[in-house]
Each structure stands twice: as structure tokens, then as C-alpha cells.
Amino acid sequence: MGVAKTPAVLWLLGAVLVLGVSVSPAQGAKTRYHDFFIKESNYTRLCKERTVLTVNGQFPGPTIYARKGDLVIVNVYNQGDKNITIHWHGVDQPRNPWSDGPEYITQCPIRPGGNFTYRVILSEEEGTLWWHAHSDFDREWWNADVNHLLEEAERIGGEINISDANTINGQPGDLFPCSKAGTYKIPVQHGKTYLLRIINAGLSNDLFFSVAGHNLTVVGTDGHYTKPFAVKHIMIAPGQTMDALLEANRGDGGRYYMAARTFASNPNIEVNNSTATAIVEYMDDAPGRTAPPEFPTNLPGVNDIDSATAYTAQLRSLGSKDHPVDVPRQVDEHMLVTIAVNVLPCAPNETCGGPDGNRQAASLNNVSFVNPSVDILGAYYRSVRGVFDADFPNKPPFFFNFTDVDNDPVERWATKRGTKVKVVEYGAVVEVVFQDTSILGAENHPMHLHGFTFYVVGRGFGNFDEQKDPATYNLVDPPHQNTVSVPKAGWAAIRFRAANPGVWFMHCHFDRHVVWGMSTVFIVKDGKAPEAKMMPPPPNMPTC
């Protein structure tokens, strides 16, 4: 069986500032250099021309190919009209939080006319990673100016209007108006196997993905190998990547849609319920290239939580000699972190657009995170006081039946703002149990941790039971990820060893939830050995 030399990189909900980092085993580490010019470019989708922020004029952005152990140096020049930062999603960046990217967490933004050089240190990652803007809403497709939509939503404290299309590699596909000519196509030859690098680069939607007439064999997620398993579809949360093999085994040739459809776990929230498509074409079947594409018959429906749960349960680490599993058995820091959508009171003489006339908010352990006016990393490194509080709680302030979707009293809706961080000792083993709540509606949440790849040791529905549920943990071959999909009205448990000193953001990857405050920060102290201490800052850090 032949394997295609060039993999297909599929940006589901195609992003403006994204790429896949193709990391393969080290064959002599190299330093690789790239220039990113942030600029405005005009693109037409859905019959409408829009000016969007791009890297090097490309939509989606350029792909970086690298190998395990490489150093990638990216010079970013901001030629746009707004502040920008870049995050290297899934790269642990050992001892180097200065190049991680989230604005006001590890750096001040790169202002228009400014530049900054990122040092992207690849260590244990293999497979598909990606990069994206970590400032405002710089991904997905809206016909309207998304920055204006965000500003208006923040002004009135209301919901953010949904996007107008899902896309694959920047194209919505021929089910949308004015889109047939630009539909993304993948040419294949019978008998070959193709590696699909699938990235959910969207702002707000989990996605189902399927290829008509073909199974997919999943072999990796979030830059780490999995035990291979065959599926008819995948479910991928925002921020996650999946590596999947597509075997071009249709002897009758033809054309087949690959389709991405929104998975919405909360039916009370308005979502972009559209299906983006691309086309797989057999090049050795000339007559078949004019036939209408076949549509997937096994693509789950928009609210099919059972299909999403069944897919996620199949993810397992490879656990081979070259890719061993090393789940920490003894835990030093236990954290139970509740996830909630909340409200904040509307100010006097204001009219707000959130529930019951309040401002929309979100929280972890009932703390709605507020970005400071200077970056937390710089303040921590220089011992600047008053920027953050080192008292993020290990448990929620009050307990109730977190997942009772039929009982959501108004008095539970409120939260409080704060810039609270969690400080841990170098080398400590941390277990975080994310607990979804029914406050203003239960739903899935893609929780992402910067600076670490963690083991997802357990998950379930209902309230986490610290006496019973740990007995169900998988400590043998749990998936190794950086973004975990916490199930609706359920929980997910992760473990990691805090052996990467620095300041690391943890947040929901639904971007509107980040805007509302569903995030916090881990500060990992320096260890004793030189190789256990954070690197000093580079000389050209942007200033606030």
C-alpha cells in the first residue's frame, strides 16, 4: 500500500492566522527561520468581499514543517491596524514562556508597526500542532466585521453573533452560494493512503467530520500518537488536532464529500448549524470527476451527544517502546474546577444584553478572570506587585448538584471578577478535575492548558465523586492531549507533572468564554537545577 508523500492539512472552520506544525522524529535538530508579515488582505466568501487580517497575505496562514527537537524562529512584523500576538498551540515551550503568546499573560501585544521574534522550542511533540492569533477574534468567517461585533458584545455585555459559515481550508464548500469554484479539493490515487492533519481552528463550535464512502483510521491527537482505531466519523473540539489515515480504496473511483458539521451540546444556544464541505477526487477515474460528489451518510446530527461521547472514549495513547506512557501515580495537588457561564450586574444607567438584563460572564471556580494591563509573566519575573493575586482556589466556593439541568436558580448565576492565579512547586504532580455545571445551561467545554501535555485519566457524566470515580481512571494508556473536551453535565480529570517553570494560561477554547472570563493561570516555580529554571526574557519583548 502506497502512502502519499504530501499530507493534507485540513483547517476545519478555516482560520486566518493558523498553521499546522508537522513534527516528525528527530533526524538531527535544526534551526528553522520564518518571517510572518501581519497584513490586511481582501478575500471573497459567500458572495461578499471582506478585509481580513492574514499572515503573508494567505488565508489560511502558511504551514511550518519541522522535526522533533527543532528550534523554529519566527519573526512577526505587525503591518496591520490592531494589536496582535501569536500562540504556538500544543508546543510545550520548555522553560520558555516568553514565546508562548497569549496577550497580557506572557507578553504585551505587538502593536501596529512593531515586531517580535518568537523562539518556538519543539521537544517531545510529534504529529500535528498549529498556531493562531491569541488576541481578540482573528479566526473563522463572518460577513460582518467581527471586531465590530466583538466590541458591541463587550459594550452591552451580550452574546456574540454567530459566524456565517464553517469552512475547510478557508472555503465553505459548494453547499453555500458563490462558493462552488473555490471548494477545496484533494486529488487521490486508488491504492494509496493519505494522512489527513485535521485541526479545529474555530472559535466556537465542536465539529463532526467524515468522508463519504471511506473510513478514517485515527493515529494521533494534539501532537502525540494514539493506538490506531477505525471510525466512520470523528468529533473534534476547538483547539484539538487529529491525525487520521484515509485509504483511497474505492475501486469505482468517483468523487466524495468530506464534511464538517457543528456539534452543539447545548440546544438553547444559537449556533452556526451549517455544513462545510471539500471534495476527494480519484484522479485515475476521469469520467467520475464530472459526477456529483457522494455525501456522507454517517455524519452525526448537530445534537448527537452519544456519537461524540463514543468517539472520544476511543482515544488511547500508543504506549509503545518508543512512545511510552508515564502517568504520574502520586498526586501532590488536587483541584476541582467548576466551569460555568454566569452574569455580572449591569452598571447604573447602562442597558445590558445578557440574561435578565445583566452582563454576560463566565468563570472557573466562580472567578471570572480579568486580564491585567501588563503581562503577568513580566510582573512575576520582576516581582511587580498588584498585577495578580496568587489565591486561585482548589475547589469551588460552594457545592450543589452541579449537573441538575432542571434546576438553575437565579441566585447561582452571579460571579466575581479577579486576576487570580494558581502557584505550584516545580515537579509537583497536579490533578485537575473539570466539572461542568448547569448554570445558564450545561454544555461541552474544550479546556486547553498552555505549556503542558496532560494525560486525560478519566471522564464521566454527572457530579464527580472523589470517593468512587478515581477507581475508574485509566492509568495505563490514557490519551496525551493539550485540549480536553469536558462533557456536557459531566467531568474530565487530567494529570500532569509541573516540570516546566513559567507562567501558563488555562482556558476554555470557546473564545467567547475566554472573553467572558473562563480562564486562569498556573505559575510554576523554578526548580533547583539550572535546567529546571525559567529562561531569562529576550531583549525585544513588546511593552504595554
Side-chain angles (χ1 to χ4, degrees):
M1 179 185 297
V3 178
K5 293 182 179 179
T6 304
V9 182
L10 305 177
W11 306 100
L12 304 184
L13 290 164
V16 176
L17 296 178
V18 294
L19 87 168
V21 183
S22 173
V23 185
S24 39
Q27 297 179 357
K30 295 182 179 179
T31 301
R32 303 173 187 268
Y33 296 88
H34 294 266
D35 288 334
F36 279 15
F37 294 94
I38 312 297
K39 60 177 69 175
E40 293 183 334
S41 302
N42 291 333
Y43 279 86
T44 300
R45 300 289 186 271
L46 309 183
C47 317
K48 183 178 179 63
E49 185 178 68
R50 274 214 39 227
T51 299
V52 296
L53 206 59
T54 65
V55 169
N56 299 346
Q58 297 176 229
F59 172 50
T63 297
I64 290 177
Y65 291 95
R67 292 188 178 274
K68 181 178 178 179
D70 283 355
L71 171 64
V72 181
I73 295 179
V74 184
N75 299 305
V76 177
Y77 302 89
N78 188 356
Q79 299 175 349
D81 63 350
K82 57 172 292 187
N83 292 343
I84 201 76
T85 66
I86 304 292
H87 170 52
W88 315 94
H89 188 115
V91 179
D92 288 349
Q93 292 280 29
R95 304 174 51 230
N96 185 33
W98 307 101
S99 286
D100 190 48
E103 65 175 356
Y104 301 111
I105 306 299
T106 62
Q107 69 169 96
C108 299
I110 308 168
R111 289 178 280 191
N115 68 283
F116 179 58
T117 299
Y118 288 94
R119 294 173 58 87
V120 184
I121 301 173
L122 299 171
S123 52
E124 298 301 318
E125 303 87 359
E126 293 177 278
T128 302
L129 307 173
W130 64 299
W131 59 260
H132 60 84
H134 217 297
S135 43
D136 294 341
F137 274 33
D138 292 316
R139 310 193 304 281
E140 218 166 68
W141 186 267
W142 276 263
N143 282 332
D145 186 319
V146 67
N147 292 309
H148 291 169
L149 293 178
L150 177 59
E151 290 169 2
E152 177 64 11
E154 290 180 320
R155 185 184 69 82
I156 66 171
E159 266 281 10
I160 297 162
N161 289 358
I162 63 173
S163 62
D164 293 283
N166 297 335
T167 64
I168 297 177
N169 284 7
Q171 295 287 349
D174 58 11
L175 302 183
F176 287 83
C178 306
S179 301
K180 185 173 183 178
T183 299
Y184 183 73
K185 297 180 177 65
I186 298 179
V188 301
Q189 293 182 358
H190 181 265
K192 288 192 174 182
T193 299
Y194 295 81
L195 173 62
L196 305 183
R197 302 184 183 276
I198 306 166
I199 304 161
N200 188 338
L203 289 170
S204 54
N205 296 324
D206 293 326
L207 291 168
F208 290 116
F209 175 82
S210 180
V211 180
H214 298 76
N215 287 341
L216 299 171
T217 301
V218 178
V219 295
T221 180
D222 285 4
H224 291 271
Y225 284 105
T226 63
K227 286 182 171 65
F229 62 97
V231 292
K232 296 184 182 300
H233 62 264
I234 71 170
M235 193 288 285
I236 183 168
Q240 290 183 333
T241 71
M242 300 284 171
D243 292 309
L245 299 178
L246 171 70
E247 184 179 350
N249 57 6
R250 292 298 297 258
D252 51 350
R255 305 169 78 221
Y256 303 87
Y257 276 127
M258 54 174 57
R261 173 182 291 162
T262 298
F263 164 51
S265 59
N266 185 348
N268 298 320
I269 296 177
E270 185 181 11
V271 297
N272 174 357
N273 185 18
S274 64
T275 300
T277 57
I279 299 174
V280 174
E281 295 184 326
Y282 279 76
M283 300 308 293
D284 37 13
D285 177 25
R289 291 203 295 272
T290 60
E294 179 181 322
F295 195 83
T297 58
N298 47 31
L299 191 64
V302 66
N303 300 126
D304 192 343
I305 195 167
D306 291 339
S307 290
T309 303
Y311 171 78
T312 303
Q314 297 179 78
L315 293 170
R316 294 285 187 273
S317 286
L318 181 59
S320 67
K321 178 181 177 182
D322 293 331
H323 300 87
V325 176
D326 182 24
V327 183
R329 299 304 177 103
Q330 297 297 121
V331 176
D332 302 304
E333 290 269 7
H334 289 271
M335 300 178 69
L336 176 66
V337 177
T338 52
I339 302 170
V341 173
N342 307 94
V343 297
L344 290 163
C346 195
N349 303 318
E350 262 192 343
T351 301
C352 294
D356 280 7
N358 294 293
R359 298 189 68 86
Q360 194 82 65
S363 68
L364 298 177
N365 277 352
N366 210 41
V367 178
S368 185
F369 188 83
V370 179
N371 275 349
S373 57
V374 297
D375 62 298
I376 292 175
L377 174 57
Y380 168 66
Y381 185 79
R382 298 177 180 88
S383 301
V384 178
R385 295 186 176 184
V387 176
F388 60 86
D389 296 312
D391 59 352
F392 182 83
N394 279 357
K395 60 183 180 180
F398 53 91
F399 284 75
F400 56 96
N401 184 355
F402 296 125
T403 57
D404 184 357
V405 295
D406 298 320
N407 183 25
D408 183 26
V410 173
E411 56 265 24
R412 292 180 187 158
W413 292 5
T415 184
K416 294 182 179 180
R417 285 177 167 154
T419 308
K420 296 181 181 294
V421 309
K422 171 67 178 177
V423 179
V424 297
E425 298 293 329
Y426 179 87
V429 172
V430 182
E431 178 176 300
V432 181
V433 177
F434 295 109
Q435 174 70 65
D436 184 36
T437 70
S438 59
I439 298 174
L440 289 172
E443 63 179 309
N444 281 27
H445 292 276
M447 297 303 300
H448 173 50
L449 175 60
H450 293 220
F452 296 93
T453 305
F454 47 73
Y455 288 103
V456 184
V457 295
R459 66 175 70 239
F461 290 100
N463 299 319
F464 177 74
D465 186 328
E466 64 179 353
Q467 301 301 320
K468 298 179 180 179
D469 286 326
T472 69
Y473 283 1
N474 174 9
L475 303 179
V476 177
D477 59 355
H480 213 190
Q481 297 182 284
N482 59 65
T483 304
V484 59
S485 180
V486 180
K488 172 185 178 177
W491 57 271
I494 67 170
R495 278 188 193 175
F496 64 95
R497 190 180 302 278
N500 191 9
V503 170
W504 307 107
F505 201 29
M506 184 174 76
H507 61 93
C508 181
H509 225 277
F510 290 148
D511 279 34
R512 71 186 190 281
H513 289 174
V514 180
V515 171
W516 296 342
M518 194 179 286
S519 50
T520 189
V521 168
F522 278 98
I523 294 181
V524 178
K525 294 181 179 180
D526 281 348
K528 294 181 180 180
E531 63 272 15
K533 297 183 184 298
M534 189 169 61
M535 294 178 180
N540 64 335
M541 290 296 296
T543 57
C544 289

